[in-house]
Amino acid sequence: MGEVIVITSGKGGVGKTTTTANIGTGLASLNKKVVLVDTDIGLRNLDVVMGLENRIVYDIVDVVTGNCKLRQALIKDRRFDGFYLLPAAQTKDKNSVSEDQMRDLCNQLQQEFDYVIIDCPAGIEQGFKNAIAGAEKAIVVTTPEVSAVRDADRIIGLLEAAEIRDPLLIINRLRPHMVKRGDMMGIDDMIDILAIELLGVIPDDETIVISTNRGEPAVLDKDSLAGQAYLNTTRRITGENVPLLNLEVDGLIFGKLKKMIGIK
Amino acid sequence: MLEFLTRIFNKDNNTSKNLAKERLRLVLVHDRANISPQMLEDLKNDLIKVISNYMEIDVEALEVNLDSSDNTVALVANIPVKKMKRSLKENEEQIS
């Protein structure tokens, strides 16, 4: 029986889809059987981030309405064995799937895969409820901004109300030099406020934009700092104890970081 | 330049990070408490019930509010007392 993990945030644009793509790809690169499920019906994006947009025939709504078999809708990612994407529907809306249908779908998928990673839509309405319906664990993605943290806090409350206990936190787009200057909340500040366990910290990094342009998750790029941070985060999901990347501005990797973040 | 200097001298208090953190802390107290008027009303009624065991209070004039000032959020209750109950007095006599 595999694990069903939902990646959520409340606020849009904080990097849920990027995180789903990178963690999923990371897990697959560690020889796990992984399926990514895009539940953002109407605003499908995980397919383009993964570079699989040209291969979609059926989608999640086709599956739950019995229009096709689950197998037919799963798109094989050729980069790794046992790595699949179940795309969202683009022309339907979020009410095309019910919470019960999602629970059934997750049950089926977890029979076959080690990890079922669900990309949740922004917001707290039906799409969110569907996305978390079949999930056992949750990863909350936030960025060091007041709006994103506030929404993350709300989401944590809603997850608890739905009895998804102990969500884990990913802090995305951290800019160490801004933290150092006192112009951005740091890791400790955010853990202090949200009071949940930290899973990973992803630095703000241009390589994410480039990898998304290409449809190749940054986690596969050894030269990408964010990619390395995603790989470490992925390893922690599998139970490995991996220390946080050194993002100290005055640390050894200062030069590299400067280059990565693009400070002159 | 001036901004740079103020930053150096107020390193720990005036940074935008601390401002963000402080604002968040306050807004989250409200978000989490999610005090609806109904909930506040229920709380008020429960308070009346409990306090009435010990003293007679002016129910009409009773006020209960969630108050946020500089950096704290407090439950502020203003409860006018009309009369103390005799049993309380007896207790006091026993003690002295």
Side-chain angles (χ1 to χ4, degrees), chain A residues 150 153 182-183 189 193, chain B residues 7 15-17 21 31-32:
Chain A
R150 184 190 196 179
D153 189 79
D183 276 333
D189 298 315
I193 291 168
Chain B
R7 262 201 192 128
T15 58
S16 71
K17 171 194 106 161
K21 210 179 158 185
D31 284 1
R32 284 178 191 172

Side-chain angles (χ1 to χ4, degrees), chain A residues 71-97:
Chain A
R71 258 207 179 284
Q72 293 176 290
L74 293 178
I75 297 164
K76 183 170 169 42
D77 188 319
R78 296 188 185 114
R79 284 167 282 213
F80 297 100
D81 277 339
F83 189 26
Y84 292 85
L85 166 72
L86 179 57
Q90 181 69 327
T91 51
K92 315 258 172 40
D93 69 51
K94 275 155 184 121
N95 298 315
S96 321
V97 177

Side-chain angles (χ1 to χ4, degrees), chain A residues 41-62:
Chain A
I41 298 169
L43 293 168
R44 160 164 99 195
N45 270 326
L46 187 54
D47 54 339
V48 278
V49 175
M50 293 296 297
L52 299 171
E53 69 275 17
N54 292 325
R55 301 187 30 216
I56 297 176
V57 182
Y58 296 109
D59 56 50
I60 190 169
V61 176
D62 291 322

